[in-house]
Amino acid sequence: MDLNFTDEQKAFRAEVRSFLEQKLPKRLSDKVRLGQRLTKDDYEEWHAILNERGWLAGNWPKEHGGAGWNAVERHIFEEETTAAHAPRIVPFGLAMLGPVLQKFGSKEQQEYWLPRILNGDDWWCQGYSEPGAGSDLASVKTTAVRDGDHYVVNGQKTWTTLGQHANMIFCLVRTSKEGKPQEGISFLLVDMNDPGVTVRPIVLIDGEAEVNEVFFDNVRVPAENLVGEENKGWTYAKYLLTHERTNIAGVGFANAGLANLKRIASLEQSNGRPLIEDPLFAAQIAEVEIALMAMATTNLRVVSAAAAGQAPGAESSMLKIKGTVLRQEINALTKQAVGPYAMPFVSEALEAGSNVGPVGPDYAMSATPHYLNNRKLSIYGGSNEVQKTIIAKAILEL
Ligand SMILES: Cc1cc2nc3c(=O)[nH]c(=O)nc-3n(C[C@H](O)[C@H](O)[C@H](O)COP(=O)(O)OP(=O)(O)OC[C@H]3O[C@@H](n4cnc5c(N)ncnc54)[C@H](O)[C@@H]3O)c2cc1C
């Protein structure tokens, strides 16, 4: 397997880099670099810039308005955008729902919803998890009962990321209690402005209300919002998860985090010299960097195989674990590098334009919030413990 980039791929990288130099607003990249909070408008502004260039939906085929990139091109795009501190692309409509509609949606659903995702007419969120259904997703209890040409939805979703911005939610709902739990689940698109939908924020450990609880109380949803067939939602849900888990290694994010860590360690002092020259700290950075290089190589192998048409198997579980643990280690070292400045938490300083500044240098203000927030990495997208079970069964054959 050849892990070197072709001339064509190198030219593509140069094209992405020059686009970012010209089109990525400095106001946005500054926010990302400093770890400040991004608003809904920020995300929508960046989405619109990418959409104008035809690069918003890298994973969608051209016939649906996507860029039609293969896995290597998507990988290059991710490396360049994270290095340039671009905002992340919000995945719910683009990386999750879009591919499901393209494969299982009706022609009418595709024609109606897909352009709206690209144009930013709808902000989607993911209604999979419930208080009693996370790792064990097949236990979803939110019900959808057919009543004429509507479904009546009752129940609760939780951990709904950025649901406070959303006007639409794609939900796994129970439409049958017969047979195996997986056989009674359907995939339904719900308008969050409909009567009976309540969104309640959950404030996380870093002080930000990034996730929500969503309640459904006799919400009437048009039957035409059912995707595919009734009770076949488990198949679509799993298909979506394979897309949720693309780029799961997060090499670009880890590289950006490592570069930031090195910069901070060269600015901070320890015993009269830059922290990065402290043998113990330098050794800890080197250990993380070597592990990251090894993971990046494994990731390239998986990306290269995917570009050649092979579906990623249990390797993605290895990448999920390694990638998330490495990013958490980088967060921990960054927190350590800023020393006492990791202690004060000035929430207002994380809002760009606030007249309340951070305690200490600006690069220190997001070290602790990021460290705390990224505990989530080993929980969502399939917890790391669950990934270990997959590796045990599929790779180690235990
Ligand atoms: C910040 C954040 C954002 C999220 N965003 C969304 C979202 O937008 N939409 C959405 O639908 N969901 C979202 N989730 C939910 C996420 O997918 C679930 O939290 C995750 O699947 C784990 O489920 P749980 O929280 O119910 O924990 P549980 O499944 O109850 O797990 C609790 C613990 O037990 C372990 N465990 C469970 N089962 C096994 C097993 N079989 N073997 C070994 N260990 C096991 C887990 O690893 C974990 O440590 C988000 C979660 C977080 C933290």
Side-chain angles (χ1 to χ4, degrees), residues 102-120:
Q102 286 157 25
K103 189 153 174 80
F104 303 106
S106 65
K107 200 163 182 315
E108 292 73 30
Q109 286 172 336
Q110 292 176 356
E111 283 173 1
Y112 183 73
W113 295 111
L114 295 177
R116 292 177 64 87
I117 295 176
L118 291 177
N119 296 332

Side-chain angles (χ1 to χ4, degrees), residues 126 128-129 133-137 159 241 244-245 248 314-325 328 374-392:
Q126 181 185 25
Y128 272 28
S129 304
S135 306
D136 179 19
L137 203 50
W159 305 122
L241 289 176
E244 183 175 354
R245 288 173 190 157
I248 198 139
E315 299 92 334
S316 57
S317 297
M318 286 164 43
L319 291 171
K320 161 85 205 304
I321 296 172
K322 200 67 197 169
T324 53
V325 168
Q328 289 174 340
N374 275 348
R375 309 321 297 163
K376 71 186 176 190
L377 298 178
S378 41
I379 302 172
Y380 68 25
S383 78
N384 284 16
E385 291 77 18
V386 169
Q387 304 303 325
K388 282 180 187 165
T389 305
I390 295 172
I391 293 171

Side-chain angles (χ1 to χ4, degrees), residues 11 16 42 46 76 86 96 117 137 269 300 305 358 372:
V16 174
D42 291 336
W46 181 231
I76 291 172
M96 297 186 190
I117 295 176
L137 203 50
Q269 298 289 305
L300 276 182
L372 294 172

